[in-house]
């Protein structure tokens, strides 16, 4: 819609869209409002709209996503994670850290105290763990949620944990601040719809063999249910290379940010699967325009019940955070960020 | 256990396993009973078992699956699908056919009448469709289930449909005879557990980027909940080749059958994505030892709401079925099957 | 050109093409002659040709290959390998067998005697071996060529061996009947050009990560230099799956045969890398329309200097050949071949 | 060998190795000399060596490469490219730039003048171009070499060009300063051996589907022939993702540098295939420890005969060079480099 379009103009456009059997989705931006049209299967005849007042342009989108696209929503989405924590746009570089799995109250509190001390605001920890084999440790489940809920209250940290089952969305939303959809569930569409109805921001990890288009189309499921607060998380794809756990092309970050307005963070722990590679990749992601990183940190990586070889210990993480801050400040100052 | 082991011997072994903090799973075979041991994380000290009566051998399994493995269960599993329809072992070559999605009562009944006439016993049809984009046709959902339920009753055909949500397992189990887990949900572990508690056989499709080991470990989730009736379905993996929809290595069929006792069927429609390639690949799968095929058939492929380019029309399918029967009979007679 | 086009008509078309700065390549078929036009970069203005006598149709080809395409040459190419051995079209199913590497005179003669006895006409054996590491056995090289040359003379078998270096094409062409381009050299363009100038048929293996289009474009290099006798050989591509050596989609065979007129054979040994999978895949390839198979056979696979785990012994191979003949005869009789 | 080992000790060790039927390769380091042993196939019985004077340790290497490994040669190799230009170790970040293909004298001189002005010392340009289709532009070939040779003489820049044929190695070595082996020829072993005998440094690109181990084993071929001056170049691998030309995991850079002592550079142009992604990836590679970058630059990318969409124009490149220098200086100063 034109900058000068009135709310009445907008109403008329919406009504016309409804009369065409379609659904209008207003997308307010800083300067103007766009109105997405959904519900069509294939090409839409736009004749009824052409002469309505206040319309600048009618763009036919052929991508499998619309709400997620910059075509509809040119300015960066800023996701609010907590009272004074945001990500996306001009927000500070987001740091999320914690163990792969919540293993005990003591383990989580040790990590939480470190995060608190060094100014990291978001704690990750898996309560429900998706494991290849049913014979592997499956997480502490509800007990894990309780520990996360307690640590939030006592420390003021924000917590993020993975949700694997549509039925759990409600209780997980109560226990933590941010929901995570894991790589294996990127195309679990009923789960996506359910977190789309939740009142929590969602971190959506890229699937092991998902194209960029499929990943954005999965985000579309969440936005379409009314939850605009999606953070994309690149964590590598599966290839023939076996020396790294996954192959993660950082070029995906600036590419996705050009296609979509959503924040994009990077998970160097799963992307590489090797402790020694986390530091260089976390630092490199800053330059490519990532909005943040999510890093696995464990008080005793050698004892971890899962993902030990790709976890940093507390000291390593503390050092990395100070390097991230240093590089981030420089890159912003010199406008070197993609 | 030894062939001559008594039920008392078996009881003593089971009690000992329980006293070790583990769980015994008896696996009766045609000649002897094996007792699987689960619940361990890592290596088990087998000292308490070594001198018990009736044990022939103690095999330590390091694979991420056990119940699914031939190590535990050397003879083929035969899955009962309906009163007089089975698959696996020496069962006849299984034919499953139908449209990608249930689109209308008329469409399903047209296909069903053909199947009935040419002796195909199992009808497939998607009620809930997993689609990359939320803007694509999502299936008729509950209405689709009703149509499938009606067609079963009126024709006596068995019906299979995909279930995508743990909450739907009950109602889908009531509507159809066989549950299908789609490729995108192969590692949706809560869904696997739920169909593991259902009283219906389950077709488990291989994930788009799943290794063979991961696929078998997913089947393990279902067996572990108590449902032994799993049918594996190869449907290709994702590679760099773009001229075919997926890359499907038929060598996977004999390989999986050597690793596991479960039946393995083949889906040439999704494997190739091209109508012209379905016939040769369906026929070739017979030679490689497949227990059956699942093929997309649509009365009017050009009008299909999904997967038209990979669907056969009724005439093409009828001709293929007669060729399958011819080749299958020859291959069995000459013992050319893998 | 029209069936009734005279040689004068054809000459005029050729002259006109030359006057356009392009090169005409007449492709005589059983019923009519097509004239390929090459040398253009991008679209050609066909005005000068439109009204010439004898032209039925002018087809603009946008693929990266032309001579190789069925668009230019609709009927199957039949490649003559020896006095009474051909492949392609209606030729009998081609069997090529022998060890990965020529290791000794005795080894080769043992295999050759078996082939002779059971009616296999073509012997394979590597003299120059492309090995990942320079520290692995590199083949007997010139001594290997001498052994192959001797075995041909003494047994009347045809021999095929890999050529890796443009400078070797001449001497290899003297020693054996058929040249092989290995997967790693599929895009070694100077080598392709050189075998394009040789007077020997060429087996062109698909590269480890080559798309079908790239493979056909590599064949185009050979045809363009004047050698029409190219046999394509599918041997699998590299994917994330590690239980098989390569992933070989048999659907590639009917697909390539629809795109190109060249014969296509299948190498189940490299495709699978596992002895137990060679038999089912070799048999399955018959159904998918392969013109032949190339199989690794070694008198003592356990002692082989390379590729032992994927080689059949003489007895296994003899049994497989009789099964191949049986299935091939049935498939031809019942017209089940793709 | 021990730091205090005498040349006589070293001689005795070498003689003993020879007497064992193997070949010693002394590898002098800054503090001590290591002696590589090659020529073995499989395990070596080291009894004859155990008690010789001056030996500290005997390490059995099971990798497919030895000379290339850090096990043998712990300190970084520094490759001398020209009188005062080196790469590797503490050398300055190397910048190589120029068009994909040499198209004309004027084109090359325009790029060369820019490089000269902004302090870039090495010019790239393809004379022989490996192209998927024989119908695409194949490079100016010998005329291209002459242009490169002239521009070197007139400007003092160093030139690098790809060599595709063992027979061309001599003439290409005369025309330019540095030889390049392209991705498609990474396992063209005769070509590797030939550049191993040349007196020029070699840039070895990673193959499209090469594992890291295979890449290092290919470098081993070159070192084994006596040429120690190999520079590895990461340029991405082929995956299912189609929005980028290749998938390039920057984690490969620190990983390879931990496995090998050779310099590693990065080619963001081929890695991404998209102009907009070159800048962020070139900058990010600095942080991951790359020794340099090779970037496609063309005076008029829109008119380029090959790879236009992934080429920077002169102005874009000039800006990027200044950003690279800025970031490189900061990263070195703050010790943020991997």
């Amino acid at each position: 819609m034109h900058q000068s379009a009135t709310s009445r103009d907008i109403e008329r456009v919406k009504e016309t869209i409804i009369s065409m059997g379609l659904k209008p989705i207003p997308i307010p931006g800083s300067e103007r409002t766009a109105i997405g049209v959904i519900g069509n299967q294939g090409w839409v005849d736009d004749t009824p709209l052409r002469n309505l007042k206040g319309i600048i342009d009618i763009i036919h989108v052929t991508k499998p996503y619309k709400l997620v696209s910059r075509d509809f929503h040119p300015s960066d989405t800023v996701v609010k994670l907590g009272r004074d924590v945001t990500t996306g746009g001009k927000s500070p570089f987001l740091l999320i850290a914690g163990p792969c799995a919540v293993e005990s109250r003591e383990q989580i509190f040790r990590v939480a105290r470190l995060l608190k001390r060094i100014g990291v605001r978001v704690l990750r920890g898996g309560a429900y763990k998706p494991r290849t084999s049913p014979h592997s440790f499956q997480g502490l489940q509800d007990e894990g949620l309780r520990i996360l809920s307690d640590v939030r209250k006592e420390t003021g940290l924000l917590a993020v944990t993975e949700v694997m089952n549509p039925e759990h969305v409600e209780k997980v939303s109560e226990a933590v601040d941010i929901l995570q959809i894991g790589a294996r569930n990127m195309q679990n569409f009923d789960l996506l719809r359910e977190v789309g109805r939740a009142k929590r921001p969602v971190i959506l990890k890229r699937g092991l063999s998902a194209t960029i288009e499929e990943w954005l189309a999965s985000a579309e499921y969440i936005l379409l249910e009314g939850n605009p607060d999606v953070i994309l998380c690149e964590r590598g794809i599966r290839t023939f290379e076996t020396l790294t756990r996954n192959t993660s092309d950082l070029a995906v970050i600036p590419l996705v940010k050009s296609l979509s307005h959503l924040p994009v963070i990077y998970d160097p722990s799963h992307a590489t699967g090797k402790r020694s590679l986390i530091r260089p990749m976390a630092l490199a992601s800053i330059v490519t325009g990532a909005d943040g990183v999510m890093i696995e940190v464990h008080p005793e990586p050698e004892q971890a019940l899962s993902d030990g070889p790709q976890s940093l210990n507390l000291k390593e993480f503390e050092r990395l955070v100070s390097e991230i801050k240093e590089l981030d400040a420089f890159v912003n100052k010199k406008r070197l960020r993609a």
Side-chain angles (χ1 to χ4, degrees), chain A residues 93 279-288 320-334 336-337:
Chain A
F93 194 73
R279 175 181 172 263
M281 292 303 279
L283 292 169
S285 74
I286 297 171
V287 180
T288 62
L320 176 55
V321 168
S322 91
E323 293 182 324
I324 286 173
K325 287 179 180 167
E326 217 164 20
L327 183 60
D328 181 52
F330 180 78
V331 157
N332 283 342
K333 188 176 132 204
K334 297 291 183 176
L336 295 178
R337 192 183 288 272

Side-chain angles (χ1 to χ4, degrees), chain A residues 11-53:
Chain A
E11 269 326 292
R12 193 147 342 126
V13 169
K14 286 167 64 179
E15 284 159 18
T16 309
I17 291 167
I18 290 166
S19 74
M20 292 161 73
L22 302 170
K23 193 177 163 189
I25 304 223
I27 307 161
S30 55
E31 300 197 349
R32 59 170 57 96
T33 291
I35 301 179
V37 176
I38 61 175
N40 58 307
Q41 290 184 12
W43 179 259
V44 172
D45 178 359
D46 58 14
T47 320
L49 296 166
R50 281 197 202 146
N51 296 312
L52 294 185
K53 206 164 141 273

Side-chain angles (χ1 to χ4, degrees), chain A residues 144-185:
Chain A
L145 279 190
R146 269 190 297 277
I147 295 173
L148 287 172
S149 178
D150 290 353
V151 81
R152 282 169 71 206
K153 284 175 205 150
E154 295 193 27
T155 62
L157 289 174
L158 301 169
V160 54
T161 203
E162 178 168 351
V163 57
M164 289 168 59
N165 187 326
E167 286 185 74
H168 296 173
V169 170
E170 200 179 323
K171 73 176 170 188
V172 176
S173 295
E174 276 166 27
V176 300
D177 305 275
I178 304 160
L179 307 176
Q180 179 180 311
I181 301 292
R184 289 176 186 79
N185 280 313

